[in-house]
Each structure stands twice: as structure tokens, then as C-alpha cells.
Amino acid sequence: TLAYGQAFDPMAGVTAEDFEDGDLTGSIKIISNDVNPLQAGIYHVTYSVTDADGNETQITITVLVGAQPVDPAIPADPETPMHVTPAPVQMADPIVSSVSAPDPVRELPKTGDTDNTAQVITIGGLLAMLGALFLRRKK
């Protein structure tokens, strides 16, 4: 994994060994390398190495380049908080345009059931259980 713009050396940390020939790192060849550290994405590097007997092996690694960092917006006056003002509502009909749209910050959406029957039953059940425990202790 690379950070955006980070230098990439495809040979950094790459080694090869063989039981008979030992260290083959100097014989490693890069077959393909499409890594672009200035473009976020998934890239591949394919390596090849051949031992003294002519046995060749290849391996492909995946390199992930992260997205370009984005500088945060800093207000001109840090003491004054930034406010986002919603765009005005455009109405096509001039008669309807006199009706003001509800303020989305002050008016919460109506969600769920407004019936409180479940809460009343639950509280009633709890009170009944407490009453039963209280009567049991007195006996």
C-alpha cells in the first residue's frame, strides 16, 4: 500500500532464494509494472527469476495507491464558525411561491408510531410486579 505521491521502488524488499543456488536476488527481473503513485488505484508488478538449472518462477504483487489527500476548508476568521446556508426553494407557480417552505432544522420529521400504549402497559406491569413483591414481603 502506498500513500498518494509516495515514491515506489519495485525492487525494495524483494528477494529470491533457491535451495541449490542460494541467493538469486540479483537475477530478479521485472516483467511488468503499471504502478502510478500519482493516481489512486490498484496496480500490479510481476517479477521473474531463473535458477542455474533454467527453472523459472514468476510472482505478481498487488499495489494499492491511496487517494490524494484533500485540504480541509479553513475559515478566514477562525473565531467565526462556518455556516452552510441551504439554497432557496425555487417554485414555478407564483401563487404557490408565497408559501414558505418549512425550516428543515426546526421541524423534525414525523417518524414511528405516536401511540404510547406499549409504554403504559409496560409501566403498569412493572407496578403490578412491585406491588406483588411488596405484599409478599409483608406476609
Side-chain angles (χ1 to χ4, degrees):
T1 301
L2 293 177
Y4 178 88
Q6 180 180 351
F8 176 67
D9 177 5
M11 291 302 295
V14 176
T15 62
E17 291 184 19
D18 181 59
F19 288 119
E20 296 170 353
D21 299 331
D23 185 14
L24 295 174
T25 303
S27 302
I28 298 174
K29 295 182 178 144
I30 298 174
I31 304 297
S32 66
N33 174 10
D34 64 353
V35 177
N36 180 356
L38 296 177
Q39 178 70 41
I42 299 172
Y43 300 96
H44 300 93
V45 181
T46 301
Y47 301 92
S48 173
V49 67
T50 305
D51 69 5
D53 293 332
N55 299 314
E56 178 185 359
T57 189
Q58 290 186 359
I59 188 169
T60 300
I61 65 166
T62 301
V63 179
L64 174 66
V65 176
Q68 181 177 8
V70 178
D71 291 332
I74 299 173
D77 180 9
E79 298 299 318
T80 305
M82 296 175 63
H83 295 284
V84 177
T85 306
V89 177
Q90 298 294 325
M91 307 247 182
D93 188 354
I95 297 171
V96 178
S97 66
S98 64
V99 177
S100 62
D103 185 357
V105 175
R106 294 186 187 185
E107 186 175 311
L108 296 175
K110 308 255 186 286
T111 60
D113 191 5
T114 57
D115 184 15
N116 61 355
T117 304
Q119 289 88 354
V120 170
I121 292 172
T122 302
I123 292 171
L126 288 173
L127 289 174
M129 287 178 16
L130 286 173
L133 287 173
F134 181 71
L135 288 174
R136 185 177 282 177
R137 280 193 173 177
K138 280 196 160 197
K139 290 182 181 182

